[in-house]
Amino acid sequence: MSTAAQKVTQPTHLKESAPLWFEEIQTHICETLEEIEIEFMHPTHLPGQFAFKSWERHDPTEPDNKGGGGKMGIMEGGAVFEKAGVNVSTVYGEFAKEFCHEIPGADKDPNFWASGISLVIHPSNPFVPAVHMNTRHIVTSKSWFGGGADLTPTFPIDEDTKDFHQSLRTACDAYNSDAYAKYKLWCDEYFYLPHRNEMRGVGGIFFDYVNSGDMSADFEFIKLVGKAFIDVYAKIVRRRMRQEWTIDDKYKQLVKRGRYAEFNLLYDRGTRFGLMTNGNVDAILMSLPPVAAWP
Amino acid sequence: MSTAAQKVTQPTHLKESAPLWFEEIQTHICETLEEIEIEFMHPTHLPGQFAFKSWERHDPTEPDNKGGGGKMGIMEGGAVFEKAGVNVSTVYGEFAKEFCHEIPGADKDPNFWASGISLVIHPSNPFVPAVHMNTRHIVTSKSWFGGGADLTPTFPIDEDTKDFHQSLRTACDAYNSDAYAKYKLWCDEYFYLPHRNEMRGVGGIFFDYVNSGDMSADFEFIKLVGKAFIDVYAKIVRRRMRQEWTIDDKYKQLVKRGRYAEFNLLYDRGTRFGLMTNGNVDAILMSLPPVAAWP
């Protein structure tokens, strides 16, 4: 355990149980996606599989130069999932000075500890929506949970959008009756490309700085979000994955993915956080689409 | 002429002659690329042609809501040039407050006037390098020229790199014996992806805030850069455009283009300047590749 990790005052159980949960849901999500690949039974295409790669983060502010690390899971060239990246990481150290004022509790003490799961899925079929999900636990002199899930179809279909929102609403309602309305709005505001004056997708939920005073309850909410996400996304994928598509549909998907790349590189805080905390570049930029187009 | 344009105190001739030059070199560059398309004589592909589109910029700080505009030239799906965007624009108004401290001379007076040409060329053949060139004249309470040109091959070839640098060196040397060394180094520092720890390409020149006291001489240098760029780039394209390539070469080109998109969206000041001054989004993001990949 690093000195930074020791410096933060935090109920120990969350700093142990949260990373365990993120690994557990990573395994569950990857297995679910692999099951769908097998179920799809493409005539000429072997079912896609995840490859896992562990990485270590180095932090020169730590005496042993260690700053945690993570485990990337990536499936490339699957029959259903053209690219799916599912990462967990637990990192700690000191924020760079110029970054401290942006992070609650870091203005006086730059030490941080952060653990989370982050995934982006770019399906092959243009009628299967792309998706993102992330949940995280961050500890500075304060501590909180954050996360979200949002759906990005190339061709929005009401049935899918409704199911996705309903599943996340159920997770939110079990936690707090105000949560869904607030987190849905936050999502719409966050996943927005001002230069295009367009939404990234059809929304979902987004939340940050969640600390209700009962962090065990907050943690239960985090678990519900992860489970609700994979249940509904698997359902949507199975519903759409055999739909026929044309080259024109595929090109529209590539253009939509170009917008996805724009958002992630121009605005996404997770990308910015990762690059500014010297995270693993491959893991951070795994969210970028396998192929994208700009007309 | 706008009030912002009248407010800046500047030798009138440059605010007339610089935009005229940018339009003249735009025409010359587009014609040169179209000549190459015709020369290539693809058996099944019609020669690519530029389409031109004028756009107006609106500026709410101006009484008439006018803030200049520009003319985009774009060639898409050419036999040699998969995508080439060549833009000129002349814009004026007031900088947003949060942007003023970043621009020399704008801290006291937010009025600006800016004119320039900017181009990015993404060739079809992976052995023909991508290229960028930009020259601009900016007027706030100060005034200066800026610009540069840099080459981004997927497979760097010494002969091309040497020719490109030599051509720009000749343009610099005719202006000032110190210019080339300084502007070449500036280019290497600027077109760099810190998160990848890699150069964007093989360099060229980059310069900004150029005002030697003899702005007519500075303007002559700007003209030399434009002419040197198109002469040497046309030579390199003609040399490589018939080279055979494989699907594997093409995929490597798409990955290299992914890096190009990363640089432009994460770091490029021109992109940032354009988006922050409410420029034309299509023109600003025309630099993005037609298709890109992230492995």
Side-chain angles (χ1 to χ4, degrees):
Chain A
M1 188 65 68
S2 88
T3 51
Q6 285 161 348
K7 277 173 218 162
V8 294
T9 55
Q10 176 64 10
T12 311
H13 74 91
L14 274 182
K15 284 174 59 187
E16 288 173 2
S17 53
L20 286 175
W21 163 253
F22 295 134
E23 284 168 36
E24 189 181 325
I25 190 79
Q26 179 190 39
T27 302
H28 174 56
I29 290 167
C30 292
E31 284 176 357
T32 303
L33 301 184
E34 287 181 343
E35 280 163 19
I36 293 174
E37 283 283 330
I38 291 167
E39 208 177 298
F40 186 69
M41 295 237 291
H42 191 280
T44 61
H45 214 116
L46 286 176
Q49 286 190 308
F50 275 91
F52 291 94
K53 195 173 162 186
S54 294
W55 56 274
E56 288 188 356
R57 180 176 168 278
H58 300 289
D59 194 315
T61 67
E62 295 298 297
D64 54 4
N65 197 33
K66 288 191 176 177
K71 187 169 137 189
M72 295 192 292
I74 184 153
M75 182 195 291
E76 282 185 290
V80 179
F81 303 106
E82 196 172 322
K83 184 176 174 187
V86 186
N87 298 306
V88 293
S89 64
T90 301
V91 298
Y92 43 80
E94 285 182 23
F95 282 123
K97 255 186 193 163
E98 61 274 22
F99 201 38
C100 283
H101 71 280
E102 296 183 28
I103 307 282
D107 40 354
K108 287 163 198 166
D109 178 351
N111 281 286
F112 75 95
W113 178 100
S115 182
I117 178 170
S118 178
L119 69 86
V120 173
I121 301 171
H122 294 286
S124 182
N125 189 318
F127 291 98
V128 180
V131 80
H132 150 263
M133 194 276 286
N134 161 240
T135 50
R136 57 191 179 269
H137 180 36
I138 296 184
V139 184
T140 60
S141 64
K142 301 182 176 179
S143 73
W144 67 92
F145 288 100
D150 75 302
L151 196 70
T152 307
T154 304
F155 305 101
I157 302 170
D158 278 352
E159 188 184 13
D160 299 346
T161 305
K162 278 182 191 161
D163 282 353
F164 191 76
H165 286 297
Q166 184 54 51
S167 182
L168 294 172
R169 175 196 280 270
T170 305
C172 290
D173 287 352
Y175 168 60
N176 181 318
S177 60
D178 297 331
Y180 179 70
K182 187 175 163 191
Y183 299 163
K184 180 179 189 299
L185 183 64
W186 202 339
C187 184
D188 287 344
E189 286 168 355
Y190 181 76
F191 292 109
Y192 175 70
L193 288 76
H195 64 289
R196 298 280 188 188
N197 190 26
E198 63 186 41
M199 317 285 295
R200 172 161 102 167
V202 296
I205 57 171
F206 183 94
F207 52 95
D208 208 354
Y209 318 119
V210 168
N211 183 338
S212 66
D214 179 356
M215 289 206 81
S216 295
D218 301 338
F219 182 38
E220 286 309 308
F221 168 59
I222 289 296
K223 291 185 186 176
L224 286 179
V225 169
K227 287 185 276 194
F229 152 75
I230 188 59
D231 286 354
V232 71
Y233 187 65
K235 182 171 152 187
I236 292 169
V237 172
R238 287 183 165 107
R239 184 189 286 156
R240 300 289 163 209
M241 67 187 179
R242 298 183 199 281
Q243 192 160 330
E244 293 196 8
W245 52 269
T246 65
I247 289 292
D248 187 52
D249 297 330
K250 186 71 187 173
Y251 186 70
K252 284 184 178 133
Q253 182 196 46
L254 299 193
V255 172
K256 187 75 182 167
R257 287 181 182 170
R259 301 287 211 266
Y260 212 91
E262 282 178 25
F263 181 85
N264 283 16
L265 295 170
L266 283 171
Y267 305 114
D268 187 58
R269 300 195 315 183
T271 303
R272 188 172 149 76
F273 181 91
L275 294 177
M276 292 193 73
T277 54
N278 198 27
N280 184 287
V281 173
D282 291 333
I284 297 164
L285 297 183
M286 191 178 279
S287 65
L288 295 174
V291 185
W294 282 271
Chain B
M1 186 67 68
S2 88
T3 50
Q6 287 161 347
K7 277 174 219 161
V8 295
T9 55
Q10 178 62 12
T12 312
H13 74 91
L14 273 181
K15 283 175 58 186
E16 288 175 0
S17 53
L20 285 176
W21 163 252
F22 295 133
E23 284 168 36
E24 187 181 326
I25 190 80
Q26 179 190 39
T27 303
H28 174 55
I29 289 167
C30 293
E31 286 177 354
T32 303
L33 301 184
E34 288 182 341
E35 280 164 20
I36 293 174
E37 283 284 329
I38 291 167
E39 208 179 298
F40 185 69
M41 295 238 290
H42 190 281
T44 63
H45 214 114
L46 286 177
Q49 287 189 308
F50 275 91
F52 292 93
K53 195 173 163 186
S54 294
W55 56 273
E56 287 188 358
R57 181 176 168 278
H58 299 289
D59 194 315
T61 67
E62 295 297 297
D64 54 4
N65 196 34
K66 289 193 174 176
K71 187 170 136 190
M72 297 194 290
I74 186 154
M75 182 195 292
E76 282 184 290
V80 178
F81 304 106
E82 196 172 324
K83 183 175 174 188
V86 186
N87 299 306
V88 294
S89 65
T90 300
V91 298
Y92 44 80
E94 284 182 22
F95 283 124
K97 255 186 192 164
E98 61 275 22
F99 200 40
C100 283
H101 71 281
E102 296 183 29
I103 305 284
D107 40 354
K108 287 163 199 164
D109 179 351
N111 282 286
F112 75 94
W113 179 99
S115 182
I117 178 169
S118 178
L119 69 87
V120 171
I121 301 171
H122 294 286
S124 182
N125 188 319
F127 291 99
V128 180
V131 79
H132 150 262
M133 193 277 286
N134 161 240
T135 48
R136 56 191 179 271
H137 180 36
I138 296 183
V139 183
T140 60
S141 63
K142 300 181 176 180
S143 74
W144 66 92
F145 287 99
D150 75 301
L151 195 71
T152 308
T154 304
F155 305 101
I157 301 169
D158 277 351
E159 188 185 13
D160 299 346
T161 306
K162 277 182 192 163
D163 282 353
F164 191 75
H165 285 298
Q166 184 56 50
S167 182
L168 295 172
R169 174 196 279 272
T170 304
C172 289
D173 287 352
Y175 169 60
N176 180 319
S177 59
D178 297 330
Y180 180 69
K182 187 174 162 192
Y183 298 163
K184 180 180 189 300
L185 182 65
W186 202 340
C187 184
D188 288 343
E189 286 168 355
Y190 181 77
F191 292 109
Y192 175 71
L193 287 77
H195 64 288
R196 298 280 189 187
N197 190 27
E198 63 186 40
M199 316 286 296
R200 172 162 102 166
V202 296
I205 57 171
F206 184 94
F207 52 93
D208 209 352
Y209 317 119
V210 168
N211 183 339
S212 66
D214 178 356
M215 289 206 82
S216 295
D218 302 338
F219 182 38
E220 286 309 308
F221 168 59
I222 289 296
K223 292 185 185 176
L224 285 179
V225 168
K227 288 185 275 192
F229 151 75
I230 188 60
D231 286 354
V232 71
Y233 186 64
K235 183 172 152 186
I236 292 169
V237 172
R238 288 184 164 108
R239 184 189 284 156
R240 301 290 162 210
M241 67 187 180
R242 298 183 197 281
Q243 193 159 330
E244 292 196 6
W245 52 268
T246 65
I247 290 293
D248 188 53
D249 297 329
K250 186 70 187 174
Y251 186 70
K252 285 185 177 133
Q253 182 196 44
L254 299 192
V255 172
K256 187 74 182 169
R257 287 181 182 169
R259 302 287 211 267
Y260 212 91
E262 284 178 26
F263 180 85
N264 282 17
L265 295 171
L266 283 170
Y267 304 114
D268 187 57
R269 300 196 313 184
T271 304
R272 188 171 149 73
F273 180 92
L275 295 176
M276 292 193 74
T277 53
N278 197 27
N280 183 285
V281 172
D282 292 331
I284 296 163
L285 297 182
M286 190 178 280
S287 65
L288 294 173
V291 185
W294 281 271

